[in-house]
Amino acid sequence: MAETGPLILSEADCKRLVGRKTAFDAVENVFGAMARGDAYNFPVVREAIGHADALYGFKSGFDRAGMALGVKSGGYWPGNAEKGLTNHQSTVFLFDPDTGQLSALVAGNYLTAVRTAASAAVSIAHLSRQDSKTLGMVGAGHQSPFQLRAAVEQRGFESVVAWNRSPEKLKTLAAAATEAGLEFESVSAEEVGARADVIITIVSAFEPLLMADWIRPGTHIACMGTDTTGKQEVDPVLCEKATLFTDEIAQSMTIGEAQHAIKARTISEGDITPIGAVINRTHPGRCSEDEITLFDGTGVGLQDLAVAAAAVKAA
């Protein structure tokens, strides 16, 4: 039998094939598989290349439940926005788990955005209060409209309050909120904490932008921007006050939002629960209306493989 070449899916193909529901289901399933021990992330390679201030690396793994084997290759080029390009650039390579043959090459830029938004949405679906009405957003970069659109489908939100260092950059986020039929207001970071029932932080920051004493009882926070040693979006005291969940505990402790509280020894590994345990119903998740829950979304290769495999299946 003659060999056929790998399926190649472009960015346009992925946008056509993978919507928010498909991405949500793929990410939820793979988080559940990780918690059962049916899916494994391999060690991440991430390096500064010494050119264009770029970070480049590889995320890979094997999902035995979904039969997805592969690697995402790519990184972050901070100067791309000035060239009209997305700062994050990546491609997913999928292999046949039975033979090792390359089965698909899948463009990864849109999929990275939609899978990151899906992971926050999964946390909102499983951990936030059912009566959540106000969504708070911290950050207004390329990823933020994806986050907003995915989040508002999980609860009956009525309004969005948002903060960004440069308020003028909130226009795209405001448009996404209006498109979803929600009131939108630009406020201070402190006011986001004081008014929101659910908060998504999606910023490349190296100091806390949300302080613990700003957050109301019962709030759910999804920290989606911290994925590197030294990065930080929220007050480490929040990691002590909140019930902590994550995509992968090892990454949460080393490169996620929890890294700072771990270094300060105010929390330990046993204080962090994989979100997959809640999905699999081996952990109750939120236990009271007043509980603060925090999802540390560090981003794992299996998320990329899951949405890329969903694109291939749809194709």
Side-chain angles (χ1 to χ4, degrees), residues 229-249:
T229 302
K231 276 191 176 182
Q232 185 176 17
E233 294 182 297
V234 304
D235 184 351
V237 176
L238 258 176
C239 292
E240 299 170 51
K241 290 178 68 173
T243 306
L244 272 178
F245 300 87
T246 191
D247 41 23
E248 186 177 77
I249 291 174

Side-chain angles (χ1 to χ4, degrees), residues 171-185:
K171 289 177 184 174
T172 306
L173 202 55
T178 302
E179 181 188 300
L182 303 178
E183 294 179 15
F184 182 89
E185 194 176 346

Side-chain angles (χ1 to χ4, degrees), residues 15-223:
K15 288 175 185 176
R16 177 173 52 84
L17 295 166
V18 179
R20 288 188 291 276
K21 177 68 166 66
T22 299
F24 182 100
D25 290 345
V27 169
E28 185 180 51
N29 288 339
V30 84
F31 283 165
M34 286 169 61
R36 292 192 307 271
D38 288 336
Y40 315 87
N41 289 291
F42 304 150
V44 174
V45 174
R46 187 176 169 88
E47 299 289 342
I49 67 171
H51 178 75
D53 290 327
L55 289 172
Y56 177 73
F58 305 93
K59 289 184 174 182
S60 58
F62 176 46
D63 176 7
R64 193 189 310 277
M67 291 301 283
L69 173 69
V71 58
K72 180 172 89 165
S73 172
Y76 186 78
W77 274 257
N80 275 7
E82 297 168 10
K83 301 170 185 174
L85 300 170
T86 304
N87 287 349
H88 287 94
Q89 293 288 325
S90 61
T91 303
V92 180
F93 299 75
L94 292 176
F95 300 88
D96 184 335
D98 295 319
T99 66
Q101 284 186 301
L102 180 65
S103 57
L105 283 170
V106 185
N109 296 349
Y110 165 77
L111 290 184
T112 296
V114 80
R115 68 81 153 153
T116 306
S119 64
V122 167
S123 83
I124 292 166
H126 288 278
L127 297 172
S128 70
R129 298 191 335 269
Q130 292 285 344
D131 65 350
S132 298
K133 297 297 182 190
T134 301
L135 175 65
M137 298 288 304
V138 174
H142 171 76
Q143 174 73 53
S144 61
F146 289 92
Q147 291 285 342
L148 186 149
R149 293 185 188 108
V152 299
E153 293 173 350
Q154 310 312 316
R155 292 290 183 261
F157 291 112
E158 296 172 353
S159 61
V160 178
V161 290
W163 174 84
N164 190 63
R165 271 202 187 93
S166 305
E168 67 275 7
K169 292 186 177 177
L170 288 168
K171 289 177 184 174
T172 306
L173 202 55
T178 302
E179 181 188 300
L182 303 178
E183 294 179 15
F184 182 89
E185 194 176 346
S186 171
V187 299
S188 67
E190 185 171 356
E191 208 169 342
V192 170
R195 290 172 56 182
D197 301 302
V198 172
I199 302 171
I200 299 172
T201 60
I202 184 72
V203 185
S204 184
F206 288 84
E207 75 269 336
L209 303 173
L210 278 181
M211 304 311 293
D213 57 4
W214 297 351
I215 306 302
R216 298 191 301 176
T219 302
H220 173 63
I221 307 163
C223 296

